[in-house]
Amino acid sequence: MAARIEYKASVAKDLRKLDRAEAIRAVNRLERVLAAEGLRGEALSGEFAGLFKLRIGDLRVIYARTDEGCLVLRIGHRRDVYRRGRPAE
C-alpha cells in the first residue's frame, strides 16, 4: 500500500518561488519516491531533529513521517531551505 503524502499550506508558496519546470519535477519525484518508499530520506539533526530531507538536485524537501505516510513541510533550494522565516529571494 502506498504511503499518504500531505502538504503543509506553505508548500504552495515555496513552489511558486521555483521555476515552473523545477517545481513540476520536484513534485513528481516527491510523489513517486515517498509514496513508494516512505522510509526514504536522510534524518536531520539539531533544531530539525525528528524531520527528514529528500534531495532532488539542488532542491531539498523537508518532511515529517506520520502514521499514515509523510507531511511535507518545506521545499526549496539547498542554500535557503534550512533558514528560519522566509527564504532569500
Side-chain angles (χ1 to χ4, degrees):
M1 186 167 129
R4 180 177 174 176
I5 300 174
E6 297 178 88
Y7 296 89
K8 188 175 173 187
S10 61
V11 172
K13 187 176 179 182
D14 292 342
L15 290 172
R16 282 193 299 269
K17 293 180 181 181
L18 300 175
D19 178 55
R20 181 173 167 78
E22 194 173 42
I24 291 171
R25 179 180 68 130
V27 171
N28 287 341
R29 173 118 187 261
L30 174 68
E31 292 281 338
R32 187 177 70 244
V33 171
L34 289 183
E37 311 168 28
L39 300 179
R40 184 147 180 194
E42 185 178 333
L44 296 172
S45 61
E47 67 180 283
F48 297 100
L51 301 177
F52 298 85
K53 74 176 177 182
L54 180 66
R55 291 177 44 190
I56 303 174
D58 284 339
L59 298 178
R60 299 296 182 266
V61 176
I62 307 298
Y63 67 95
R65 292 182 183 158
T66 63
D67 293 336
E68 298 83 31
C70 301
L71 173 64
V72 177
L73 304 171
R74 192 122 193 233
I75 298 175
H77 192 276
R78 63 187 174 93
R79 74 173 168 251
D80 300 324
V81 76
Y82 301 106
R83 293 183 185 169
R84 285 195 166 178
R86 294 168 42 131
E89 300 292 324

